[in-house]
Amino acid sequence: MRDLQARAEGLSVDLASGQWKPNRFDKRALRKLTGADGPVIHRDGITSMFIELYDKHGPWQVNKMTSRLVTLLANSAAAQDLPSIAELPEAQEALSAVTSVIRSAA
């Protein structure tokens, strides 16, 4: 969870400083995730976003996304696979950091 939070915070810093600007493929994915309510974007929302983008635009969509963003989203979804771990305070803090980056970048 510390690694997930560090990745989210690193991407957030790069976004704020202008070192990372979401490309159009990133923005397409981020728009699909910003409608989620609550402090955490749930695993099902992330996986359905990837499936929908793949079905609609093919593998090219995911291949053109920023690798750091794809990794962050995939790790966030994987971190929620075990509810007993995902409900820990450290996990909620990390998942909230991911949500914050997604909403800021969109």
Side-chain angles (χ1 to χ4, degrees):
M1 289 302 157
R2 282 186 231 145
D3 184 48
L4 180 62
Q5 185 167 355
R7 285 177 194 234
E9 290 171 354
L11 199 55
S12 181
V13 167
D14 287 349
L15 178 66
S17 69
Q19 291 182 349
W20 174 62
K21 288 182 144 187
N23 63 37
R24 67 185 177 123
F25 303 100
D26 296 337
K27 287 188 179 264
R28 188 179 289 155
L30 293 168
R31 279 192 301 268
K32 293 190 178 299
L33 296 172
T34 55
D37 292 334
V40 173
I41 296 175
H42 294 284
R43 178 186 182 282
D44 294 338
I46 295 170
T47 54
S48 65
M49 177 271 305
F50 277 122
I51 291 168
E52 184 180 331
L53 289 175
Y54 183 85
D55 288 347
K56 190 172 182 180
H57 302 285
W60 194 64
Q61 163 67 36
V62 177
N63 290 338
K64 293 292 184 177
M65 289 174 63
T66 304
S67 61
R68 290 173 64 192
L69 179 62
V70 172
T71 302
L72 183 70
L73 294 172
N75 287 345
S76 179
Q80 298 177 57
D81 276 345
L82 297 173
S84 60
I85 294 173
E87 293 173 5
L88 295 173
E90 299 86 12
Q92 289 297 304
E93 188 175 337
L95 294 169
S96 292
V98 171
T99 302
S100 177
V101 170
I102 291 169
R103 290 184 177 151
S104 295

XYZ file of all heavy atoms in Angstrom:
810
model
N 0.814 -1.185 0.000
C 0.000 0.000 0.000
C 0.867 1.261 0.000
O 0.485 2.260 -0.591
C -0.933 0.009 1.212
C -2.032 -1.009 1.130
S -3.039 -0.749 -0.348
C -3.714 -2.326 -0.562
N 2.000 1.173 0.680
C 2.906 2.334 0.665
C 3.387 2.632 -0.748
O 3.506 3.786 -1.139
C 4.096 2.094 1.589
C 3.746 2.284 3.035
C 4.982 2.174 3.887
N 4.650 1.229 4.935
C 5.464 0.372 5.471
N 6.711 0.319 5.083
N 5.065 -0.437 6.410
N 3.679 1.581 -1.510
C 4.143 1.760 -2.886
C 3.037 2.379 -3.744
O 3.301 3.275 -4.546
C 4.586 0.414 -3.460
C 5.168 0.557 -4.855
O 6.021 1.444 -5.051
O 4.764 -0.218 -5.741
N 1.822 1.920 -3.562
C 0.697 2.465 -4.307
C 0.512 3.946 -3.986
O 0.341 4.775 -4.880
C -0.581 1.683 -3.987
C -1.862 2.138 -4.688
C -1.735 1.992 -6.197
C -3.046 1.351 -4.167
N 0.590 4.287 -2.721
C 0.429 5.678 -2.326
C 1.585 6.528 -2.855
O 1.376 7.648 -3.330
C 0.335 5.812 -0.811
C 0.052 7.230 -0.384
C -0.352 7.337 1.061
O -0.521 6.348 1.752
N -0.532 8.563 1.526
N 2.801 5.994 -2.814
C 3.959 6.737 -3.330
C 3.817 6.978 -4.838
O 4.146 8.068 -5.324
C 5.244 5.980 -3.025
N 3.331 5.991 -5.555
C 3.118 6.157 -7.001
C 2.069 7.236 -7.271
O 2.234 8.063 -8.167
C 2.662 4.846 -7.633
C 3.746 3.833 -7.783
C 3.158 2.552 -8.338
N 4.088 1.467 -8.192
C 4.478 0.711 -9.199
N 4.009 0.896 -10.408
N 5.329 -0.269 -8.997
N 0.982 7.201 -6.512
C -0.077 8.194 -6.688
C 0.441 9.593 -6.361
O 0.186 10.546 -7.103
C -1.278 7.852 -5.805
N 1.169 9.717 -5.283
C 1.701 11.026 -4.897
C 2.734 11.520 -5.900
O 2.775 12.705 -6.221
C 2.277 10.965 -3.490
C 1.196 10.812 -2.430
C 1.734 10.526 -1.035
O 2.965 10.331 -0.882
O 0.912 10.505 -0.099
N 3.563 10.620 -6.424
C 4.549 11.001 -7.431
C 3.896 11.503 -8.708
O 4.320 12.512 -9.285
N 2.854 10.822 -9.134
C 2.128 11.247 -10.336
C 1.415 12.581 -10.086
O 1.377 13.440 -10.959
C 1.136 10.162 -10.758
C 0.632 10.207 -12.189
C 1.771 10.196 -13.201
C -0.295 9.038 -12.444
N 0.906 12.753 -8.885
C 0.243 14.000 -8.526
C 1.220 15.180 -8.543
O 0.900 16.258 -9.050
C -0.386 13.873 -7.140
O -1.045 15.051 -6.774
N 2.418 14.965 -8.019
C 3.453 16.005 -8.026
C 3.836 16.352 -9.465
O 3.970 17.530 -9.818
C 4.684 15.559 -7.203
C 5.885 16.447 -7.452
C 4.347 15.522 -5.721
N 4.014 15.328 -10.288
C 4.368 15.566 -11.688
C 3.247 16.288 -12.437
O 3.511 17.120 -13.303
C 4.713 14.260 -12.397
C 6.059 13.701 -11.957
O 6.806 14.422 -11.263
O 6.359 12.549 -12.307
N 2.012 15.981 -12.103
C 0.873 16.665 -12.723
C 0.862 18.138 -12.316
O 0.704 19.014 -13.159
C -0.440 15.984 -12.310
C -1.728 16.610 -12.833
C -1.802 16.487 -14.347
C -2.931 15.947 -12.181
N 1.060 18.388 -11.029
C 1.037 19.761 -10.528
C 2.185 20.600 -11.086
O 2.019 21.794 -11.349
C 1.078 19.762 -9.003
N 3.338 19.972 -11.288
C 4.502 20.710 -11.781
C 4.537 20.803 -13.303
O 5.387 21.486 -13.860
C 5.793 20.049 -11.288
O 5.983 18.795 -11.913
N 3.635 20.096 -13.966
C 3.598 20.132 -15.421
C 4.550 19.144 -16.083
O 4.679 19.133 -17.307
N 5.197 18.293 -15.303
C 6.089 17.286 -15.879
C 5.303 16.161 -16.540
O 5.841 15.447 -17.373
C 7.024 16.719 -14.812
C 8.044 17.708 -14.340
C 8.980 17.091 -13.315
O 8.742 15.998 -12.809
N 10.044 17.798 -13.002
N 4.061 15.973 -16.115
C 3.200 14.985 -16.755
C 1.895 15.666 -17.126
O 1.241 16.296 -16.298
C 2.913 13.806 -15.838
C 1.913 12.855 -16.424
C 2.044 12.143 -17.578
C 0.610 12.534 -15.917
N 0.911 11.389 -17.812
C 0.021 11.614 -16.806
C -0.108 12.932 -14.797
C -1.245 11.086 -16.609
C -1.377 12.408 -14.598
C -1.939 11.497 -15.494
N 1.545 15.539 -18.374
C 0.258 16.013 -18.865
C -0.448 14.816 -19.461
O 0.108 14.153 -20.347
C 0.449 17.086 -19.932
C 0.927 18.399 -19.418
C 1.029 19.380 -20.545
C 0.648 20.738 -20.048
N 0.566 21.714 -21.121
N -1.651 14.524 -18.989
C -2.378 13.386 -19.556
C -2.609 13.583 -21.047
O -3.040 14.644 -21.478
C -3.700 13.391 -18.794
C -3.476 14.227 -17.586
C -2.399 15.194 -17.931
N -2.287 12.550 -21.813
C -2.545 12.626 -23.252
C -4.024 12.320 -23.510
O -4.779 12.038 -22.592
C -1.605 11.692 -24.033
C -1.795 10.239 -23.692
O -2.905 9.764 -23.460
N -0.698 9.492 -23.647
N -4.431 12.359 -24.758
C -5.858 12.171 -25.060
C -6.346 10.777 -24.708
O -7.509 10.588 -24.358
C -6.164 12.512 -26.510
C -5.552 11.598 -27.526
C -5.828 12.109 -28.943
N -5.174 11.275 -29.915
C -5.806 10.664 -30.896
N -7.092 10.834 -31.053
N -5.147 9.920 -31.733
N -5.464 9.811 -24.754
C -5.851 8.445 -24.396
C -6.033 8.329 -22.879
O -6.943 7.652 -22.405
C -4.805 7.454 -24.905
C -4.591 7.549 -26.386
C -3.507 8.248 -26.893
C -5.481 6.974 -27.266
C -3.313 8.360 -28.264
C -5.307 7.084 -28.638
C -4.221 7.779 -29.141
N -5.164 9.009 -22.133
C -5.304 9.058 -20.671
C -6.618 9.743 -20.296
O -7.367 9.254 -19.453
C -4.152 9.833 -20.035
C -2.793 9.200 -20.230
O -2.724 7.974 -20.456
O -1.795 9.938 -20.166
N -6.876 10.867 -20.934
C -8.082 11.641 -20.611
C -9.354 10.852 -20.893
O -10.327 10.949 -20.151
C -8.078 12.958 -21.369
C -7.075 13.941 -20.813
C -7.238 15.288 -21.464
C -6.253 16.260 -20.894
N -6.795 17.075 -19.841
N -9.331 10.070 -21.953
C -10.497 9.239 -22.286
C -10.779 8.264 -21.140
O -11.928 8.080 -20.734
C -10.238 8.474 -23.576
C -11.427 7.728 -24.108
C -11.115 7.014 -25.402
N -10.943 7.980 -26.482
C -10.230 7.755 -27.580
N -9.626 6.597 -27.750
N -10.133 8.666 -28.517
N -9.733 7.671 -20.605
C -9.888 6.740 -19.488
C -10.281 7.474 -18.210
O -11.172 7.027 -17.474
C -8.588 5.971 -19.273
N -9.640 8.594 -17.959
C -9.909 9.338 -16.729
C -11.345 9.853 -16.676
O -11.965 9.857 -15.608
C -8.918 10.501 -16.598
C -7.461 10.087 -16.364
C -6.539 11.281 -16.547
C -7.291 9.464 -15.000
N -11.873 10.274 -17.798
C -13.267 10.757 -17.831
C -14.239 9.657 -17.412
O -15.264 9.934 -16.792
C -13.622 11.268 -19.217
C -13.138 12.666 -19.495
C -13.773 13.226 -20.763
N -13.501 12.430 -21.950
C -12.476 12.642 -22.776
N -11.633 13.619 -22.541
N -12.313 11.877 -23.834
N -13.924 8.433 -17.758
C -14.813 7.319 -17.405
C -14.778 7.025 -15.910
O -15.706 6.443 -15.371
C -14.443 6.070 -18.193
C -14.709 6.235 -19.684
C -14.572 4.934 -20.410
C -14.895 5.099 -21.867
N -16.244 5.547 -22.141
N -13.693 7.427 -15.243
C -13.544 7.137 -13.821
C -13.983 8.271 -12.907
O -14.206 8.052 -11.721
C -12.081 6.788 -13.511
C -11.555 5.520 -14.168
C -10.064 5.394 -13.943
C -12.292 4.298 -13.636
N -14.100 9.469 -13.418
C -14.398 10.607 -12.555
C -15.834 10.636 -12.057
O -16.127 11.331 -11.102
C -14.086 11.946 -13.263
O -14.790 12.000 -14.488
C -12.605 12.099 -13.485
N -16.715 9.892 -12.674
C -18.102 9.876 -12.232
C -18.336 9.050 -10.979
O -19.417 9.081 -10.410
N -17.329 8.342 -10.521
C -17.494 7.482 -9.346
C -17.667 8.321 -8.083
O -16.967 9.304 -7.878
C -16.288 6.561 -9.199
N -18.621 7.934 -7.262
C -18.856 8.629 -5.998
C -17.962 8.036 -4.916
O -17.521 6.892 -5.017
C -20.318 8.477 -5.577
C -21.261 9.226 -6.500
O -20.817 10.214 -7.111
O -22.427 8.819 -6.597
N -17.728 8.803 -3.892
C -16.985 8.328 -2.740
C -15.501 8.620 -2.826
O -15.004 9.103 -3.843
N -14.806 8.303 -1.750
C -13.379 8.615 -1.675
C -12.479 7.640 -2.435
O -11.305 7.909 -2.641
C -13.083 8.561 -0.176
C -14.094 7.601 0.360
C -15.324 7.783 -0.496
N -13.047 6.522 -2.869
C -12.257 5.485 -3.542
C -12.955 5.075 -4.835
O -14.174 4.882 -4.850
C -12.083 4.246 -2.628
C -11.418 3.108 -3.359
C -11.299 4.605 -1.378
N -12.182 4.951 -5.897
C -12.725 4.403 -7.145
C -12.604 2.894 -7.041
O -11.502 2.355 -6.932
C -11.978 4.955 -8.368
C -12.197 6.464 -8.446
C -12.454 4.268 -9.640
C -11.437 7.160 -9.509
N -13.726 2.236 -7.072
C -13.755 0.798 -6.798
C -13.182 -0.030 -7.943
O -13.157 0.389 -9.096
C -15.187 0.360 -6.480
C -15.684 0.953 -5.211
N -15.296 0.502 -3.978
C -16.511 2.007 -4.986
C -15.864 1.231 -3.038
N -16.608 2.155 -3.628
N -12.748 -1.193 -7.581
C -12.133 -2.147 -8.511
C -13.009 -2.392 -9.731
O -12.542 -2.392 -10.858
C -11.863 -3.450 -7.764
C -11.285 -4.536 -8.617
C -11.206 -5.838 -7.804
N -10.606 -6.879 -8.583
C -11.226 -7.575 -9.522
N -12.476 -7.337 -9.804
N -10.596 -8.513 -10.183
N -14.286 -2.587 -9.501
C -15.207 -2.867 -10.610
C -15.255 -1.710 -11.602
O -15.355 -1.932 -12.813
C -16.613 -3.161 -10.083
C -16.674 -4.448 -9.279
O -15.781 -5.304 -9.457
O -17.613 -4.595 -8.473
N -15.187 -0.489 -11.110
C -15.189 0.673 -11.991
C -13.946 0.730 -12.858
O -14.014 1.054 -14.043
N -12.796 0.396 -12.269
C -11.531 0.417 -13.011
C -11.510 -0.692 -14.057
O -11.175 -0.457 -15.211
C -10.332 0.301 -12.048
C -10.263 1.531 -11.149
C -9.027 0.126 -12.822
C -9.278 1.424 -10.006
N -11.897 -1.895 -13.660
C -11.856 -3.004 -14.612
C -12.872 -2.810 -15.735
O -12.576 -3.088 -16.894
C -12.086 -4.363 -13.921
O -13.297 -4.324 -13.173
C -10.933 -4.710 -13.003
N -14.056 -2.300 -15.404
C -15.042 -2.082 -16.463
C -14.594 -0.964 -17.404
O -14.865 -1.021 -18.607
C -16.425 -1.795 -15.888
O -16.432 -0.589 -15.179
N -13.864 0.032 -16.888
C -13.327 1.086 -17.745
C -12.341 0.494 -18.742
O -12.411 0.785 -19.931
C -12.638 2.157 -16.889
C -11.978 3.283 -17.677
S -10.248 3.024 -18.187
C -9.418 2.656 -16.682
N -11.421 -0.354 -18.270
C -10.454 -0.984 -19.176
C -11.155 -1.863 -20.213
O -10.820 -1.834 -21.395
C -9.428 -1.820 -18.405
C -8.287 -1.025 -17.850
C -8.021 -1.036 -16.492
C -7.450 -0.284 -18.680
C -6.958 -0.315 -15.969
C -6.392 0.440 -18.172
C -6.144 0.426 -16.806
N -12.135 -2.633 -19.786
C -12.866 -3.508 -20.704
C -13.615 -2.689 -21.746
O -13.574 -2.992 -22.942
C -13.825 -4.436 -19.920
C -13.020 -5.458 -19.119
C -14.809 -5.128 -20.864
C -13.838 -6.225 -18.094
N -14.286 -1.640 -21.305
C -15.049 -0.794 -22.225
C -14.126 -0.126 -23.253
O -14.440 -0.101 -24.448
C -15.805 0.267 -21.439
C -16.689 1.137 -22.289
C -17.427 2.171 -21.459
O -17.710 1.905 -20.274
O -17.705 3.246 -22.006
N -13.001 0.409 -22.791
C -12.063 1.043 -23.720
C -11.491 0.034 -24.707
O -11.337 0.335 -25.888
C -10.935 1.742 -22.962
C -11.322 3.009 -22.210
C -10.137 3.526 -21.406
C -11.835 4.072 -23.157
N -11.176 -1.149 -24.226
C -10.632 -2.193 -25.101
C -11.667 -2.606 -26.145
O -11.358 -2.727 -27.326
C -10.175 -3.392 -24.283
C -9.553 -4.467 -25.127
C -8.208 -4.401 -25.464
C -10.302 -5.539 -25.593
C -7.619 -5.385 -26.248
C -9.731 -6.514 -26.382
C -8.390 -6.437 -26.705
O -7.815 -7.404 -27.495
N -12.900 -2.811 -25.689
C -13.958 -3.226 -26.623
C -14.255 -2.147 -27.662
O -14.498 -2.454 -28.825
C -15.243 -3.569 -25.862
C -15.142 -4.872 -25.098
O -14.181 -5.642 -25.340
O -16.013 -5.118 -24.235
N -14.227 -0.901 -27.251
C -14.593 0.194 -28.141
C -13.445 0.646 -29.039
O -13.650 0.949 -30.203
C -15.084 1.372 -27.313
C -15.718 2.472 -28.123
C -16.355 3.491 -27.216
C -17.031 4.574 -28.032
N -17.650 5.580 -27.192
N -12.207 0.680 -28.484
C -11.078 1.240 -29.220
C -9.950 0.242 -29.488
O -8.975 0.595 -30.137
C -10.504 2.442 -28.462
C -11.503 3.526 -28.217
N -11.925 4.384 -29.201
C -12.176 3.882 -27.093
C -12.807 5.232 -28.696
N -12.985 4.941 -27.413
N -10.050 -0.942 -28.936
C -9.022 -1.956 -29.158
C -7.811 -1.772 -28.259
O -7.761 -0.862 -27.434
N -6.829 -2.652 -28.404
C -5.648 -2.599 -27.534
C -4.830 -1.330 -27.733
O -4.071 -0.932 -26.855
C -4.851 -3.840 -27.933
C -5.316 -4.166 -29.315
C -6.746 -3.723 -29.380
N -5.001 -0.689 -28.858
C -4.251 0.521 -29.149
C -4.504 1.592 -28.091
O -3.609 2.343 -27.715
C -4.659 1.027 -30.535
C -3.764 2.059 -31.104
C -2.460 1.906 -31.448
C -4.098 3.400 -31.431
N -1.954 3.065 -31.967
C -2.958 4.011 -31.965
C -5.250 4.150 -31.323
C -2.935 5.326 -32.379
C -5.224 5.463 -31.750
C -4.073 6.039 -32.272
N -5.751 1.675 -27.601
C -6.127 2.653 -26.573
C -5.246 2.496 -25.336
O -4.662 3.459 -24.867
C -7.600 2.474 -26.201
C -8.017 3.123 -24.894
C -7.978 4.625 -24.890
O -8.267 5.267 -25.877
N -7.620 5.213 -23.757
N -5.142 1.308 -24.815
C -4.370 1.082 -23.591
C -2.874 1.229 -23.862
O -2.139 1.764 -23.043
C -4.695 -0.297 -22.983
C -3.852 -0.571 -21.751
C -6.177 -0.389 -22.635
N -2.425 0.797 -25.025
C -1.009 0.911 -25.365
C -0.552 2.352 -25.467
O 0.623 2.645 -25.245
C -0.701 0.190 -26.681
C -0.793 -1.304 -26.555
O -0.694 -1.857 -25.469
N -1.014 -1.975 -27.670
N -1.435 3.264 -25.812
C -1.074 4.675 -25.963
C -1.214 5.466 -24.660
O -0.833 6.619 -24.592
C -1.918 5.338 -27.058
C -1.616 4.791 -28.438
C -0.231 5.183 -28.864
C 0.044 4.729 -30.275
N 1.343 5.142 -30.747
N -1.769 4.846 -23.629
C -1.896 5.527 -22.343
C -0.528 5.602 -21.662
O 0.347 4.784 -21.928
C -2.893 4.792 -21.436
C -4.326 4.920 -21.876
S -5.467 3.907 -20.905
C -5.278 4.634 -19.282
N -0.374 6.573 -20.786
C 0.857 6.702 -20.012
C 1.020 5.464 -19.140
O 0.103 5.102 -18.398
C 0.791 7.969 -19.128
O 0.544 9.092 -19.969
C 2.068 8.159 -18.348
N 2.170 4.830 -19.230
C 2.387 3.571 -18.508
C 2.259 3.749 -16.992
O 1.758 2.860 -16.307
C 3.741 2.971 -18.865
O 4.785 3.842 -18.503
N 2.673 4.886 -16.484
C 2.547 5.129 -15.034
C 1.088 5.158 -14.605
O 0.737 4.685 -13.528
C 3.225 6.450 -14.660
C 4.730 6.402 -14.756
C 5.358 7.764 -14.537
N 5.108 8.265 -13.192
C 5.344 9.521 -12.823
N 5.833 10.383 -13.687
N 5.101 9.910 -11.592
N 0.227 5.702 -15.450
C -1.194 5.761 -15.134
C -1.817 4.368 -15.204
O -2.579 3.982 -14.321
C -1.914 6.716 -16.085
C -3.416 6.843 -15.881
C -3.735 7.397 -14.489
C -4.028 7.728 -16.957
N -1.491 3.609 -16.237
C -2.024 2.252 -16.369
C -1.596 1.409 -15.165
O -2.415 0.699 -14.574
C -1.558 1.596 -17.688
C -1.950 0.131 -17.739
C -2.132 2.337 -18.875
N -0.347 1.515 -14.778
C 0.162 0.759 -13.629
C -0.550 1.172 -12.351
O -0.941 0.321 -11.548
C 1.680 0.959 -13.482
O 2.310 0.534 -14.687
C 2.235 0.186 -12.307
N -0.733 2.470 -12.170
C -1.417 2.969 -10.975
C -2.843 2.440 -10.904
O -3.288 1.967 -9.857
C -1.412 4.495 -10.975
C -2.023 5.165 -9.756
C -1.136 4.955 -8.533
C -2.230 6.639 -10.007
N -3.556 2.483 -12.009
C -4.936 1.995 -12.032
C -5.015 0.493 -11.811
O -5.861 0.011 -11.052
C -5.606 2.379 -13.350
C -5.816 3.876 -13.580
C -6.315 4.125 -14.991
C -6.773 4.448 -12.553
N -4.134 -0.241 -12.479
C -4.124 -1.703 -12.314
C -3.773 -2.092 -10.880
O -4.400 -2.991 -10.301
C -3.154 -2.335 -13.297
N -2.799 -1.419 -10.291
C -2.416 -1.710 -8.914
C -3.520 -1.331 -7.934
O -3.726 -2.014 -6.933
C -1.124 -0.989 -8.550
C 0.085 -1.604 -9.198
O 0.043 -2.714 -9.711
N 1.186 -0.875 -9.204
N -4.229 -0.251 -8.233
C -5.340 0.154 -7.377
C -6.449 -0.894 -7.398
O -7.009 -1.239 -6.356
C -5.876 1.504 -7.842
O -6.959 1.907 -7.062
N -6.761 -1.400 -8.573
C -7.783 -2.447 -8.681
C -7.321 -3.719 -7.977
O -8.094 -4.352 -7.251
C -8.092 -2.731 -10.143
N -6.065 -4.089 -8.170
C -5.534 -5.308 -7.537
C -5.502 -5.172 -6.018
O -5.732 -6.157 -5.308
C -4.135 -5.599 -8.066
N -5.241 -3.979 -5.517
C -5.189 -3.775 -4.065
C -6.550 -3.999 -3.423
O -6.633 -4.246 -2.219
C -4.690 -2.365 -3.763
N -7.599 -3.928 -4.209
C -8.948 -4.098 -3.675
C -9.462 -5.527 -3.804
O -10.604 -5.812 -3.432
C -9.898 -3.129 -4.379
C -9.532 -1.685 -4.136
C -10.431 -0.749 -4.891
O -11.659 -0.793 -4.720
N -9.855 0.095 -5.725
N -8.628 -6.433 -4.303
C -9.049 -7.827 -4.467
C -9.382 -8.497 -3.140
O -10.280 -9.323 -3.070
C -7.968 -8.641 -5.184
C -8.059 -8.501 -6.686
O -9.091 -8.020 -7.188
O -7.094 -8.876 -7.363
N -8.640 -8.168 -2.104
C -8.898 -8.738 -0.783
C -9.541 -7.681 0.104
O -8.868 -6.770 0.576
C -7.597 -9.234 -0.140
C -6.887 -10.374 -0.873
C -5.534 -10.649 -0.249
C -7.744 -11.627 -0.830
N -10.832 -7.784 0.322
C -11.534 -6.754 1.098
C -10.949 -6.545 2.492
O -10.949 -5.423 2.992
C -12.969 -7.276 1.186
C -13.111 -8.189 0.024
C -11.758 -8.791 -0.188
N -10.443 -7.596 3.118
C -9.887 -7.437 4.458
C -8.664 -6.521 4.460
O -8.412 -5.807 5.431
C -9.518 -8.799 5.054
O -8.547 -9.440 4.234
N -7.912 -6.514 3.374
C -6.752 -5.632 3.259
C -7.193 -4.254 2.778
O -6.717 -3.234 3.275
C -5.694 -6.236 2.314
C -5.123 -7.505 2.945
C -4.593 -5.240 2.007
C -4.196 -8.272 2.059
N -8.098 -4.206 1.834
C -8.548 -2.935 1.262
C -9.240 -2.051 2.290
O -9.288 -0.838 2.123
C -9.469 -3.193 0.084
N -9.760 -2.629 3.347
C -10.458 -1.845 4.363
C -9.541 -1.304 5.446
O -9.986 -0.518 6.287
C -11.569 -2.698 4.986
C -12.680 -2.998 3.993
C -13.709 -3.967 4.521
O -13.631 -4.352 5.711
O -14.594 -4.365 3.749
N -8.275 -1.683 5.431
C -7.328 -1.161 6.412
C -7.133 0.337 6.207
O -7.215 0.836 5.079
C -5.979 -1.873 6.292
C -5.963 -3.363 6.627
C -4.604 -3.965 6.291
C -6.281 -3.553 8.111
N -6.849 1.080 7.274
C -6.660 2.531 7.138
C -5.554 2.909 6.144
O -5.704 3.873 5.389
C -6.292 2.981 8.555
C -6.842 1.932 9.456
C -6.797 0.657 8.673
N -4.465 2.140 6.129
C -3.372 2.434 5.199
C -3.820 2.251 3.752
O -3.455 3.011 2.868
C -2.162 1.522 5.460
C -1.558 1.653 6.826
C -2.238 0.770 7.872
O -3.036 -0.124 7.505
O -1.983 0.998 9.059
N -4.624 1.227 3.525
C -5.127 0.967 2.175
C -6.102 2.052 1.753
O -6.049 2.521 0.613
C -5.799 -0.404 2.124
N -6.975 2.462 2.642
C -7.927 3.520 2.312
C -7.208 4.829 1.990
O -7.598 5.553 1.083
C -8.924 3.724 3.460
C -9.912 2.596 3.606
C -10.792 2.464 2.373
O -11.456 3.415 1.974
N -10.796 1.291 1.764
N -6.143 5.103 2.713
C -5.356 6.311 2.445
C -4.699 6.235 1.065
O -4.718 7.203 0.302
C -4.288 6.482 3.529
C -3.558 7.786 3.467
C -2.593 7.968 4.633
O -2.781 7.339 5.692
O -1.643 8.741 4.456
N -4.141 5.086 0.728
C -3.501 4.909 -0.577
C -4.528 4.986 -1.705
O -4.304 5.645 -2.722
C -2.762 3.577 -0.632
N -5.655 4.334 -1.532
C -6.702 4.346 -2.555
C -7.313 5.744 -2.720
O -7.665 6.144 -3.826
C -7.778 3.312 -2.233
C -7.304 1.855 -2.284
C -8.356 0.920 -1.705
C -6.925 1.452 -3.684
N -7.381 6.487 -1.632
C -7.848 7.866 -1.725
C -6.864 8.738 -2.482
O -7.268 9.646 -3.225
C -8.071 8.441 -0.323
O -9.152 7.802 0.313
N -5.579 8.467 -2.305
C -4.553 9.213 -3.058
C -4.682 8.944 -4.551
O -4.528 9.857 -5.371
C -3.153 8.843 -2.553
N -4.977 7.707 -4.909
C -5.187 7.366 -6.313
C -6.394 8.109 -6.864
O -6.342 8.699 -7.954
C -5.355 5.827 -6.491
C -5.783 5.489 -7.902
C -4.079 5.102 -6.111
N -7.474 8.116 -6.120
C -8.688 8.814 -6.542
C -8.421 10.311 -6.723
O -8.887 10.917 -7.686
C -9.820 8.594 -5.509
O -10.046 7.190 -5.388
C -11.101 9.285 -5.934
N -7.660 10.873 -5.824
C -7.323 12.294 -5.914
C -6.569 12.616 -7.195
O -6.863 13.613 -7.873
C -6.497 12.695 -4.683
O -6.097 14.022 -4.771
N -5.600 11.770 -7.555
C -4.839 11.988 -8.792
C -5.758 11.878 -10.002
O -5.686 12.701 -10.922
C -3.678 10.960 -8.911
C -3.047 11.019 -10.280
C -2.655 11.186 -7.852
N -6.616 10.892 -10.009
C -7.520 10.687 -11.135
C -8.441 11.888 -11.323
O -8.606 12.393 -12.431
C -8.327 9.382 -10.958
C -7.391 8.179 -11.108
C -9.479 9.310 -11.944
C -7.998 6.879 -10.693
N -8.989 12.370 -10.240
C -9.891 13.513 -10.348
C -9.145 14.791 -10.723
O -9.686 15.617 -11.448
C -10.649 13.673 -9.041
C -11.648 12.541 -8.858
C -12.502 12.684 -7.655
N -13.463 11.576 -7.619
C -13.956 11.075 -6.506
N -13.598 11.561 -5.337
N -14.815 10.073 -6.568
N -7.934 14.944 -10.251
C -7.140 16.126 -10.605
C -6.730 16.113 -12.077
O -6.729 17.152 -12.732
C -5.877 16.195 -9.759
O -6.192 16.387 -8.409
N -6.396 14.946 -12.568
C -5.903 14.829 -13.945
C -7.029 14.927 -14.965
O -6.804 15.343 -16.099
C -5.153 13.521 -14.129
N -8.227 14.517 -14.569
C -9.351 14.527 -15.509
C -9.761 15.950 -15.754
O -10.087 16.410 -16.757
C -10.514 13.726 -14.966
